[in-house]
Amino acid sequence: MTDVANERIITAIDVGTNSIHMVVVRIETTLPSFNVIATEKATVRLGERCAKTGMLTKEAMERSLLALARCLEISRSFNAEAIISVATSAVREAPNGQEFIDTIEEKLGLTVDLISGQEEARRIYLGVLSALELNNQPHVIIDIGGGSTELILGNGHDPDYLSSTKVGAVRLSDLYITTDPISDREFEKLQIYIRGMLERPTDELKLNLGNEPVRLIGTSGSIEAVAMIHAKQTLGTIPEPLQGYEISIADVENVVLQLRQMTLAQRTALAKEKRGEIILAGAMILWEAMRLLNAGKLTICQRSLREGLIVNWMIEHGLIADRLQYQGSIRDRSVIKLAQKYNVDLDYGKQVARLALSLFDQTQGILHKWGEQERDLLKTAAILHNSGCYISHSSHHKHSYYLIRNGELLGYTEAQIEAIANLARYHRRSEPKKKHETYRKLTNKRYRQFVDEINPLLRLAVALDRRQIGAVKGVKVKIDSKAKQFHLGIIPVEPNDPCTLELWSLDFKKEALEAKYQLTLVSHLLS
């Protein structure tokens, strides 16, 4: 009998280009593992955006809000303690994507995190690992969504390759299929486009794979639909579950050629689940990917992004200490990798981070109320704040923003990366201003407030290592509310070091803190 005390119920929602999917799971913390206890799916077609503006349409957003309201109702019926929700390709690319996310929070009270294509691929990988044992053998995972296709290479440990390419079943159906049945000209044009888009990621993946054979795992609705068509025609029935079902490249080709000859009505009757409009494009993406990878067959995995969200949550909450443990430090390793790429002095970056976190901890509950999650964002920004020097020392704080923003940091949402990049951008010179383009991109109000309140502390931390030699051992903060003073005591590493340059730099950098908190900075040495 299951011990209720060791159970935790969590909901994960994937706001995709074609559909909104939800799973509610029961986590058994002593194992640790989870079982799906409820699912919900709604085909909302967010990817059917305005052809002229690229905006999400009013109709698609309304369909999505209704679907999400239903998901919340189901989640509440199970008393889920947390809801993890992410948006992917369609929302990521739409000019009004953030506005839609804000509307969801305003109307439903649901926070939806926007994640990058690479972060989506990483979480898909986690979902697959929760269902399959890769036995330290490299496997290629393909996930064909409505707006993008993710290709991943891994052997059960660190992923060796993550990619997200803008070829998806909804996107390509809207762009290339206008005839019914599809004309030879449109079919060939679509085939050439898919091949051209997938050539680079498949070549890079094969380079990482080396001489290892291609062991291909397929996830997502489009791939499952192809497998279902094959199973129905060859076995007379569809296996339940479909997990582990195998299909050869020849079988995929046969399905594509059948779909090519069919009308939309015939494809809809065959594929069902409102997938008739997009099944041909999805099947073609799979066929071309298998051809480019020289993959003879594919194995179905029915766990993907949604389950990956659950695994990621379990890792963040310390519930996984087995073969997935390496993923717990994905953020740290991703930061170090980016720092090395841009020749950041890691010892210096870590010293600034140590001082910044000390200031954060000592002012928590007094000047700010931010927690562990935001503390980690500050740590990352502090380590990478000087990365812009890779381009030029002049205006390097601005260069740092762009390098961090586009550096493919893993383990973070898009809003979190934007906050990290803005913190780094404002470690010197001007304070955050609405006229700055980078600051305007920080559309998440919560993270904008975080940057406003915490950037003065990062500025002080940078000043405290002005010579970049680790001269300051520690700091002690005392805030005198009555006198409106921020007392900062400096403990030098060397007892006889007067830290003259650090004290001068603090005086130079204090303006942001004093303006934000209406306190006068008083700095001095402590023996």
Side-chain angles (χ1 to χ4, degrees):
M1 187 173 178
T2 305
D3 185 355
V4 176
N6 292 321
E7 288 184 356
R8 301 181 75 167
I9 295 176
I10 304 296
T11 298
I13 303 173
D14 165 17
V15 182
T17 301
N18 185 52
S19 307
I20 288 176
H21 289 269
M22 180 196 73
V23 290
V24 182
V25 306
R26 179 180 287 111
I27 298 172
E28 174 57 51
T29 60
T30 55
L31 293 179
S33 66
F34 64 87
N35 294 311
V36 176
I37 57 176
T39 63
E40 179 73 4
K41 175 189 173 184
T43 304
V44 296
R45 294 286 163 80
L46 268 175
E48 291 179 351
R49 297 182 286 165
C50 174
K52 289 184 178 179
T53 64
M55 296 277 199
L56 300 174
T57 65
K58 181 181 177 182
E59 294 76 15
M61 289 190 286
E62 287 176 351
R63 290 194 296 268
S64 300
L65 285 168
L66 286 172
L68 288 170
R70 172 66 179 153
C71 288
L72 289 177
E73 185 182 330
I74 295 170
S75 179
R76 291 189 191 106
S77 73
F78 285 94
N79 295 314
E81 69 171 89
I83 300 175
I84 315 129
S85 183
V86 300
T88 55
S89 179
V91 180
R92 195 160 58 223
E93 295 173 29
N96 61 338
Q98 184 59 50
E99 183 182 329
F100 177 51
I101 286 175
D102 293 341
T103 300
I104 294 171
E105 185 154 18
E106 189 179 302
K107 292 191 174 183
L108 302 179
L110 174 66
T111 299
V112 178
D113 291 322
L114 194 60
I115 57 174
S116 69
Q118 281 228 329
E119 180 61 15
E120 181 181 354
R122 186 186 74 86
R123 298 196 193 192
I124 288 168
Y125 181 57
L126 288 178
V128 170
L129 289 185
S130 74
L132 294 177
E133 189 72 58
L134 303 189
N135 298 314
N136 294 316
Q137 294 181 322
H139 285 68
V140 177
I141 299 161
I142 181 170
D143 184 291
I144 300 171
S148 63
T149 292
E150 280 66 49
L151 284 166
I152 304 139
L153 175 64
N155 62 2
H157 300 285
D158 272 331
D160 294 304
Y161 181 77
L162 298 168
S163 75
S164 180
T165 306
K166 293 180 181 179
V167 284
V170 173
R171 185 195 297 271
L172 298 191
S173 298
D174 289 345
L175 288 175
Y176 289 99
I177 301 178
T178 63
T179 51
D180 187 26
I182 189 171
S183 67
D184 290 345
R185 187 168 179 269
E186 282 191 349
F187 182 87
E188 289 166 10
K189 189 176 180 182
L190 178 54
Q191 191 174 30
I192 291 167
Y193 180 80
I194 293 170
R195 191 174 303 162
M197 290 292 288
L198 290 179
E199 270 182 345
R200 180 176 177 181
T202 52
D203 282 348
E204 290 175 345
L205 196 151
K206 286 189 291 185
L207 194 64
N208 278 270
L209 191 60
N211 296 320
E212 289 282 347
V214 177
R215 303 176 183 90
L216 188 61
I217 296 169
T219 71
S220 76
S222 286
I223 295 176
E224 286 188 24
V226 171
M228 287 178 189
I229 291 170
H230 175 261
K232 183 71 174 176
Q233 293 178 345
T234 56
L235 304 177
T237 185
I238 298 171
E240 182 58 44
L242 203 60
Q243 178 80 15
Y245 186 80
E246 292 187 349
I247 183 168
S248 72
I249 187 170
D251 296 329
V252 174
E253 180 180 4
N254 286 335
V255 171
V256 170
L257 296 179
Q258 283 184 62
L259 294 170
R260 177 183 182 177
Q261 304 299 323
M262 291 180 174
T263 63
L264 173 58
Q266 290 171 326
R267 294 198 302 271
T268 301
L270 184 66
K272 298 180 180 179
E273 292 190 7
K274 300 180 182 178
R275 197 167 287 274
E277 294 176 8
I278 64 171
I279 182 60
L280 175 57
M284 288 179 70
I285 294 168
L286 177 59
W287 183 34
E288 288 301 326
M290 291 182 77
R291 288 171 68 181
L292 289 166
L293 289 168
N294 299 316
K297 66 178 181 179
L298 171 140
T299 303
I300 296 291
C301 177
Q302 290 191 285
R303 284 191 174 183
S304 186
L305 178 58
R306 296 175 295 286
E307 292 78 13
L309 299 178
I310 298 294
V311 174
N312 196 67
W313 187 90
M314 291 172 70
I315 290 166
E316 289 179 348
H317 289 77
L319 299 181
I320 291 182
D322 59 4
R323 63 191 173 88
L324 292 176
Q325 189 174 21
Y326 71 93
Q327 288 287 354
S329 60
I330 188 68
R331 287 183 171 186
D332 289 340
R333 293 195 317 281
S334 183
V335 170
I336 290 170
K337 183 178 178 181
L338 193 65
Q340 291 171 337
K341 181 177 180 180
Y342 296 122
N343 297 333
V344 170
D345 183 337
L346 270 172
D347 289 337
Y348 166 61
K350 288 178 179 179
Q351 167 70 351
V352 171
R354 187 177 65 80
L355 294 168
L357 295 181
S358 180
L359 292 169
F360 180 95
D361 294 342
Q362 292 183 66
T363 56
Q364 190 176 39
I366 305 170
L367 297 186
H368 69 86
K369 295 180 180 179
W370 302 107
E372 282 301 310
Q373 186 183 83
E374 292 77 24
R375 189 179 188 273
D376 182 71
L377 302 185
L378 172 59
K379 175 186 173 184
T380 299
I383 290 172
L384 297 174
H385 79 276
N386 242 10
S387 55
C389 290
Y390 180 79
I391 296 175
S392 170
H393 189 273
S394 176
S395 297
H396 72 266
H397 55 301
K398 295 179 181 179
H399 300 314
S400 291
Y401 169 86
Y402 291 106
L403 293 180
I404 293 169
R405 189 64 192 87
N406 300 294
E408 297 178 344
L409 284 174
L410 296 176
Y412 298 98
T413 66
E414 291 290 274
Q416 289 171 336
I417 295 172
E418 194 70 59
I420 292 166
N422 267 277
L423 264 184
R425 187 255 186 263
Y426 292 112
H427 81 268
R428 68 193 288 264
R429 299 289 178 90
S430 173
E431 296 163 39
K433 290 184 174 64
K434 290 181 180 178
K435 68 179 183 180
H436 296 158
E437 182 186 356
T438 53
Y439 187 66
R440 289 200 304 272
K441 288 181 179 178
L442 194 58
T443 54
N444 185 296
K445 294 177 182 177
R446 182 169 172 270
Y447 286 124
R448 180 176 284 198
Q449 182 185 351
F450 166 66
V451 170
D452 288 343
E453 292 182 1
I454 300 302
N455 90 86
L457 301 184
L458 179 55
R459 287 169 182 256
L460 295 186
V462 172
L464 285 164
D465 200 24
R466 183 65 176 80
R467 286 175 285 172
Q468 299 188 20
I469 60 170
V472 175
K473 182 178 181 180
V475 293
K476 288 189 177 179
V477 174
K478 182 180 179 182
I479 296 170
D480 187 335
S481 301
K482 189 176 289 186
K484 294 189 177 300
Q485 291 180 331
F486 184 107
H487 291 271
L488 183 59
I490 301 171
I491 306 168
V493 171
E494 299 295 334
N496 297 323
D497 185 353
C499 292
T500 305
L501 197 55
E502 281 72 26
L503 289 166
W504 171 85
S505 188
L506 281 170
D507 194 54
F508 183 70
K509 294 263 192 179
K510 68 182 181 180
E511 187 177 339
L513 178 101
E514 293 184 338
K516 180 64 185 175
Y517 294 106
Q518 299 298 299
L519 296 170
T520 300
L521 179 70
V522 180
S523 54
H524 52 89
L525 284 182
L526 294 174
S527 56

